[in-house]
Amino acid sequence: MKFTTWNPVYQSILDDLGYDREGDERARDVLASFATPFDRDRLDWTGQTVAICGAAPRLDDDLDRLKGADAVVAASTAADVVREAGFDLDLMVTDVDKNPETAVELTESGTPVAVAAHGDNIPALREWVPKFDADHVLPTTQAEPVGPVVNWGGFTDGDRAAFIADELGADELRFAGWDFDDPTVDPEKARKLAWAERLLRWLERRRGDSFSILDGRRESIEPLP
């Protein structure tokens, strides 16, 4: 994902949600100060099937979808569910807002964690990222990438996980634990889920793919460039 491709979509997200680009950039720079370049060759998923686990309550019911996957990526608290169910985890994607202790433990054991910087998580970045093993941190931003901090697309932890898998060559993306209509979330989170859906539809089109979680929903999704 080139930033020139991502930037118009990113600006649309900022405009819709009223977020601040400068805040994202400040957070990115804080993360960069703690980060080192990540060796992406460690996660070469070329031609592989990658399970993308969201943190919706239905994840427990979807765990069978992880069977046979070559790699498993989990967003936020989905990492705990996946591990407790006995599955190996290849990457956690988080903005360190819910279960940072899990991220610390994973990096200490050598499992990579993709950490996202955005405008309202600077305190969490300052508190938790220094506790991670830096060798196992993939630093990410939704703003323009700088230094070791990359931007491979994505906005929420879940859809960012899918964009990361795409960037790393995944042939098939298999989704578990997703619910775009989750009634338990607050209005702001519901708007973020709507963006996650739009972004996955955009990624699906860019890949010439068909994600099963979008079946029956595509006609109602406002397209992105």
Side-chain angles (χ1 to χ4, degrees):
M1 173 70 68
K2 295 181 179 179
F3 185 68
T4 52
T5 302
W6 168 252
N7 191 42
V9 175
Y10 172 48
Q11 187 61 54
S12 295
I13 294 171
L14 294 177
D15 292 343
D16 181 53
L17 296 177
Y19 292 162
D20 176 38
R21 183 183 292 256
E22 288 73 21
D24 286 345
E25 292 170 347
R26 286 193 297 271
R28 172 203 63 199
D29 294 344
V30 168
L31 180 56
S33 72
F34 298 124
T36 58
F38 183 82
D39 180 9
R40 61 180 286 161
D41 291 340
R42 293 177 54 189
L43 299 174
D44 183 1
W45 294 332
T46 303
Q48 296 188 6
T49 295
V50 179
I52 309 296
C53 301
R58 63 174 294 164
L59 177 56
D60 282 323
D61 298 328
D62 288 348
L63 289 172
D64 279 350
R65 299 182 185 179
L66 278 59
K67 295 178 180 178
D70 299 298
V72 176
V73 183
S76 186
T77 56
D80 297 317
V81 176
V82 167
R83 296 170 73 213
E84 288 168 6
F87 292 94
D88 292 331
L89 186 62
D90 296 274
L91 178 70
M92 177 185 183
V93 180
T94 179
D95 61 1
V96 293
D97 68 336
K98 291 186 177 69
N99 56 341
E101 298 88 351
T102 297
V104 172
E105 180 185 343
L106 286 169
T107 64
E108 288 176 343
S109 66
T111 299
V113 173
V115 176
H118 55 74
D120 60 359
N121 75 337
I122 291 176
L125 295 174
R126 292 190 186 279
E127 177 181 0
W128 289 101
V129 177
K131 300 177 184 180
F132 298 168
D133 185 328
D135 289 341
H136 307 297
V137 173
L138 170 59
T140 73
T141 178
Q142 56 202 29
E144 185 171 4
V146 168
V149 184
V150 304
N151 183 340
W152 294 340
F155 175 59
T156 72
D157 288 338
D159 62 83
R160 184 165 49 254
F163 276 85
I164 290 172
D166 174 72
E167 177 75 21
L168 295 172
D171 179 62
E172 178 188 348
L173 301 184
R174 186 181 297 174
F175 294 86
W178 286 73
D179 185 357
F180 297 115
D181 302 315
D182 187 347
T184 67
V185 302
D186 62 33
E188 182 178 18
K189 180 61 176 179
R191 292 174 70 187
K192 290 180 179 180
L193 287 174
W195 271 105
E197 183 180 53
R198 291 183 71 188
L199 288 167
L200 288 181
R201 174 59 177 142
W202 186 49
L203 179 62
E204 178 187 68
R205 291 172 58 204
R206 287 171 55 84
R207 288 171 57 90
D209 207 338
S210 180
F211 301 154
S212 61
I213 56 167
L214 298 180
D215 289 349
R217 307 181 64 92
R218 291 181 182 85
E219 291 185 0
S220 65
I221 300 172
E222 185 178 354
L224 291 167

